[in-house]
Amino acid sequence: MRFTSEQRLDDGVLERAFTLGDIPGTLWTPGSAPAPLVLMAHNNGLPMAEPRLVARARYTAARGYAVATIDAAGCGDRPRSAADEQARAGLRRAMRAGEPVDEILESLVGPLVENAVPEWRTTLDALLELPETGGGPVGYSGGWTALGIRLAVVEPRIAAASFFAGGYVPRAQREEARQVTVPLLFLLQWDDEGNPRQRALDLFDAFGSKEKTLHANVGGHTGTPWFELEDGCRFLDRHLK
């Protein structure tokens, strides 16, 4: 892992860009003392510099966590495969025509998850070697629920997870949800335009965690109240500190 830039922000958080092979990422840390690590993932081609992600990361770091994100393949400036571009073009056509999109999303999101998991695990290995993280514990907090499900199943170092029910979860990850056993916080926007409410409720029901909490708020996809970020940090406090 090579740090390529750093800046001390107004809230005292240190923000550093890094590269790990071909993987670009950002690490936010609250100070010099070791802090629990939170992985904050995103998808749908968004860059790690997306303002909502940065705001969440900075707030969480200021609450005493090391927060890391990476641009997975196809996100930010990383190139997309020909199959990815073809699936996205098909998705746009189907949405304009008002046609069903689930099968297109299966062909798009499924491979993204498969490709992203190894990169996230490699990044986690490197992050846990840093003195700033103290070797763990580790939480997951991200809008990419499908990736979070797979990581929570295959990565024993993840001790708690917070998911947002706002993106498409492939059938494979819906089945894997039964294997998720870590404490879980699940955020649902009740009027999310692109996420059928019953599908999200079924996913919550499928999780195998003995401790799982559902927070539902009225509003569309981007209308999650800011206080949910505060509640999310309290959830992390209970399980990582």
Side-chain angles (χ1 to χ4, degrees), residues 174-220:
R174 280 180 254 161
E175 287 297 319
E176 286 180 322
R178 306 180 190 283
Q179 303 174 49
V180 175
T181 58
V182 297
L184 178 67
L185 176 63
F186 196 52
L187 303 182
L188 170 62
Q189 284 302 102
W190 202 245
D191 308 298
D192 195 327
E193 307 86 344
N195 185 42
R197 184 186 304 162
Q198 190 57 53
R199 180 182 291 173
L201 294 173
D202 290 343
L203 179 61
F204 177 75
D205 190 50
F207 286 119
S209 305
K210 292 182 178 179
E211 180 185 333
K212 56 182 179 179
T213 301
L214 173 67
H215 285 189
N217 291 282
V218 297

Side-chain angles (χ1 to χ4, degrees), residues 3 15 17 27 31 48 75 110 130 137 141 150 166 168 170 187 194 218 229:
F3 288 103
E15 178 184 273
L27 176 66
M48 56 188 165
C75 292
L130 299 174
S141 176
R150 172 62 63 82
Y168 184 80
L187 303 182
V218 297
L229 183 53

Side-chain angles (χ1 to χ4, degrees), residues 1 8 48 56 70-71 90 114 122 124 136 226 229-230:
M1 177 175 286
R8 182 70 65 178
M48 56 188 165
R56 288 172 47 227
I70 64 172
D71 273 345
E114 295 296 333
T122 297
L124 179 58
W226 183 256
L229 183 53
E230 300 174 23

Side-chain angles (χ1 to χ4, degrees), residues 95-174:
M95 292 178 69
R96 285 195 298 267
E99 298 172 351
V101 298
D102 279 9
E103 292 308 314
I104 300 175
L105 287 169
E106 283 285 332
S107 67
L108 174 63
V109 181
L112 289 176
V113 172
E114 295 296 333
N115 293 332
V117 167
E119 291 194 340
W120 269 102
R121 298 188 77 181
T122 297
T123 303
L124 179 58
D125 290 341
L127 290 168
L128 290 180
E129 292 180 357
L130 299 174
E132 295 92 326
T133 66
V138 181
Y140 179 93
S141 176
W144 195 355
T145 295
L147 173 67
I149 290 172
R150 172 62 63 82
L151 283 175
V153 170
V154 303
E155 184 48 74
R157 292 172 290 188
I158 293 178
S162 175
F163 297 148
F164 174 62
Y168 184 80
V169 177
R171 287 186 286 268
Q173 276 69 64
R174 280 180 254 161

